[in-house]
Structure formats: structure tokens, C-alpha cells
Amino acid sequence: RKGLGKEWPRGRGRPRFNHMSKAFTKESDDDGMLDLPEREISSFPNLVTSQGLTLIDAEIDRYSDAHASALAVNDKEAAARAARELRYWTARRNSAQVQPQPTGSDEVTFGSAVNIVRDDGRRSSFRIVGEDEADPARGLLSWVSPLARELMGKSVGEEIEAGASDATIVAISI
């Protein structure tokens, strides 16, 4: 009891504190929202077609509605997920650089539709689009994909590497 600069009154012991720090309780400082990691945003410029910009706007509308609906029913998990998607799509909208429609079909550019024939005779058709609008199953290639990068600047008749084989560009359209 000595050495603290003051003696405690005899028989009383040290004072007791009824308040416990939150650090020692299971209570949370947050409002119950999930702490989700942010969606990764590409380091490449956000080039988009006019259709891609429309797609981004539709996603913003979709997740704005989803967020409002989740908040209305107090679904914190759904609200957190919708808020994360809304932040992603808003960032993509803010960085979007709408590219002009190709004006010619002499060489492959952003927005071009390209037909190739592979060495084994298989034909493929692609349109080169922004990262968020890419859908390879529908023939929409991201401009940063290896195949799209191989196609850019090339003309009809030129050969390219297409995966494990070579291919020839047979048509370019807008």
C-alpha cells in the first residue's frame, strides 16, 4: 500500500470500479456490419465501350436497390455485400474512359470484332471490350487479355498466337 504516494484507508482496500472496458467484453464497437474485403480494382486504365458504360450504370442501380432493400429488412450481411459492390461499381464508373467506336476495319482496335481461324481449322469470333464487360463465353474479350493484346494493331491475313496454337485473322469489323 505504500509507495504510491498515498495510503489507502485501512479496512477499505482499493477502490472498486464497476465499469469494465469494452476490450474485455464480447460487445462490438461496430454496428454489426460485416467487414468484407474490397473488390480488387485493376491497375489498367478503365477503357469501356458505350455499352460497357451502360452495364456499369445498371450495376450501380442494381446494387443501390439491393442495399436499400437489405437495410429496409435489417439484413446486415446483404447490406454489407451490396455496399461493397456499390463501392466497386461507383469507382469503376468514376474511372471509366469511354472509347470511340472503331471507324474502320483495317486493323484491330478497342471495340473491333475479329474473326480468326486456328491452325486446326476452328473458327472463333471476338469483340474487344473493357475488363468489366468481358465475357469470353459470349465472345467478349477484355482488352488486357493475352489474346486481345495479341490481336491489337493487326490486320486481316496476319498470324497471331492464340493459346497453344497459331491463328490467322480472317475478318475485322466494327
Side-chain angles (χ1 to χ4, degrees):
R1 290 187 202 202
K2 292 191 181 197
L4 297 175
K6 163 179 174 179
E7 283 194 37
W8 299 107
R10 292 200 177 266
R12 295 181 115 193
R14 294 185 178 203
R16 294 183 183 229
F17 298 98
N18 291 328
H19 175 50
M20 182 180 284
S21 167
K22 270 191 178 249
F24 299 103
T25 68
K26 290 184 180 181
E27 294 177 32
S28 172
D29 286 335
D30 66 15
D31 58 1
M33 298 292 274
L34 291 178
D35 186 23
L36 300 172
E38 292 299 316
R39 283 189 58 186
E40 186 174 339
I41 294 180
S42 173
S43 60
F44 290 99
N46 187 15
L47 306 182
V48 298
T49 64
S50 58
Q51 295 88 0
L53 189 62
T54 299
L55 177 132
I56 291 171
D57 288 338
E59 292 297 297
I60 289 172
D61 290 345
R62 173 180 164 205
Y63 286 108
S64 292
D65 291 346
H67 187 252
S69 296
L71 290 176
V73 297
N74 201 28
D75 185 342
K76 292 179 180 177
E77 181 177 340
R81 291 186 190 289
R84 175 182 63 180
E85 292 299 315
L86 193 52
R87 286 188 302 274
Y88 173 82
W89 289 109
T90 301
R92 296 303 279 173
R93 177 64 167 94
N94 291 337
S95 66
Q97 299 173 29
V98 179
Q99 300 301 293
Q101 175 107 2
T103 56
S105 54
D106 294 339
E107 80 176 29
V108 179
T109 62
F110 186 94
S112 293
V114 184
N115 296 330
I116 62 172
V117 176
R118 298 174 192 269
D119 284 345
D120 62 7
R122 287 183 297 146
R123 293 181 172 268
S124 301
S125 297
F126 305 102
R127 179 172 300 278
I128 299 175
V129 297
E131 291 179 272
D132 292 317
E133 55 190 312
D135 184 352
R138 293 182 38 225
L140 300 172
L141 285 183
S142 166
W143 73 277
V144 300
S145 70
L147 181 56
R149 293 176 84 137
E150 184 73 20
L151 289 165
M152 298 288 266
K154 301 285 191 325
S155 300
V156 171
E158 287 194 62
E159 286 203 5
I160 60 159
E161 284 185 38
S165 66
D166 288 336
T168 303
I169 299 172
V170 294
I172 303 169
S173 60
I174 33 182

